[in-house]
Amino acid sequence: MHVDIDGDRFELYVKHELIERVIYDLAVKMEKELADKKPVFIVVLNGAFMFAADLMRHFEFECEIDFIRMGSYEGRERREKVDTILGLNREIKGRTVVIIEDIVDTGNTLNTLLKEFREKEPKEIFTATFLYKPMAHDHKDNVDWWALRIPNDFVLGYGLDYKGKGRNLRDIYKFVEQ
Ligand code: IMP
């Protein structure tokens, strides 16, 4: 199975059934740590919307959910600079904060966010990402939880896009050189 987007080919990589299972397992781990902490989950848009929705459905304790929007990719090209397009406009002082990311690749986005958020004096900050690439190695201490580790391939689906497309796919696909 494959999808073609703007002349580029992506082949099926991770099926939805496996995605559901790893997200459930991740939610169980997170609940153990966060159950009594009334956490504020901060979802990094756009890519994390689908992961966050499924993860949050499994979190059965009191929590709040908020959204921010970042951008660092153009097509498959990574840009050094991470832009904050929609910032956080709420208090997190003294709170347990959990940043929810779609994918940690170089780790730049997460690193930038952690720096920004620490200045707001939360009680503690955790990070959860759906996918985790080994490129992020330099920042691995910043990642508390991940659902799946993948190699350095460019992937799309389940919230992740290529040129703005493919976010709606329920499985994950990876780029194939032709
Ligand atoms: P980082 O700052 O390099 O860790 O990259 C973070 C952002 O780049 C993610 O939140 C994604 O939006 C995007 N990104 C990184 N790798 C991929 C990929 O394989 N497919 C789609 N988007 C990606």
Side-chain angles (χ1 to χ4, degrees):
M1 265 237 320
H2 66 266
V3 291
D4 292 320
I5 294 181
D6 289 356
D8 286 318
R9 177 150 294 191
F10 294 81
E11 68 187 20
L12 183 60
Y13 187 39
V14 186
K15 289 189 80 170
H16 192 75
E17 292 72 26
L18 178 62
I19 295 174
E20 278 180 344
R21 219 166 47 232
V22 293
I23 289 179
Y24 176 76
D25 292 345
L26 177 62
V28 170
K29 277 191 220 156
M30 290 174 67
E31 276 191 337
K32 279 195 189 121
E33 176 69 46
L34 301 168
D36 306 323
K37 295 186 169 177
K38 300 186 170 63
V40 181
F41 290 103
I42 297 174
V43 181
V44 184
L45 297 173
N46 296 335
F49 79 96
M50 208 176 274
F51 168 53
D54 285 345
L55 184 69
M56 295 294 85
R57 265 190 273 261
H58 292 300
F59 190 83
E60 292 182 354
F61 298 91
E62 186 181 320
C63 66
E64 288 162 64
I65 305 175
D66 220 315
F67 301 87
I68 58 169
R69 187 168 171 203
M70 310 288 286
S72 71
Y73 255 77
E74 278 168 17
R76 283 182 293 115
E77 295 302 314
R78 214 178 275 119
R79 284 190 290 130
E80 281 301 301
K81 202 173 154 305
V82 179
D83 301 322
T84 306
I85 298 157
L86 171 71
L88 187 68
N89 50 13
R90 55 157 299 144
E91 264 297 325
I92 52 169
K93 191 171 177 174
R95 301 293 301 269
T96 294
V97 170
V98 186
I99 299 174
I100 303 198
E101 268 263 38
D102 52 353
I103 184 164
V104 177
D105 180 9
T106 62
N108 287 340
T109 306
L110 196 55
N111 212 26
T112 307
L113 281 175
L114 281 168
K115 271 196 209 133
E116 256 175 51
F117 286 7
R118 279 185 187 127
E119 284 168 15
K120 297 176 190 285
E121 300 176 53
K123 183 171 168 220
E124 55 189 344
I125 309 185
F126 295 96
T127 60
T129 182
F130 173 47
L131 300 175
Y132 184 34
K133 286 189 192 175
M135 272 279 288
H137 196 68
D138 291 349
H139 301 296
K140 72 173 181 308
D141 293 347
N142 289 339
V143 181
D144 295 299
W145 296 295
W146 62 88
L148 278 176
R149 289 185 81 130
I150 61 163
N152 268 335
D153 303 302
F154 187 87
V155 293
L156 68 82
Y158 199 72
L160 290 141
D161 75 307
Y162 175 54
K163 297 183 179 173
K165 294 166 193 154
R167 293 193 196 276
N168 55 314
L169 299 167
R170 48 192 274 123
D171 305 310
I172 297 178
Y173 293 78
K174 76 172 175 190
F175 175 72
V176 275
E177 214 74 54
Q178 295 203 85

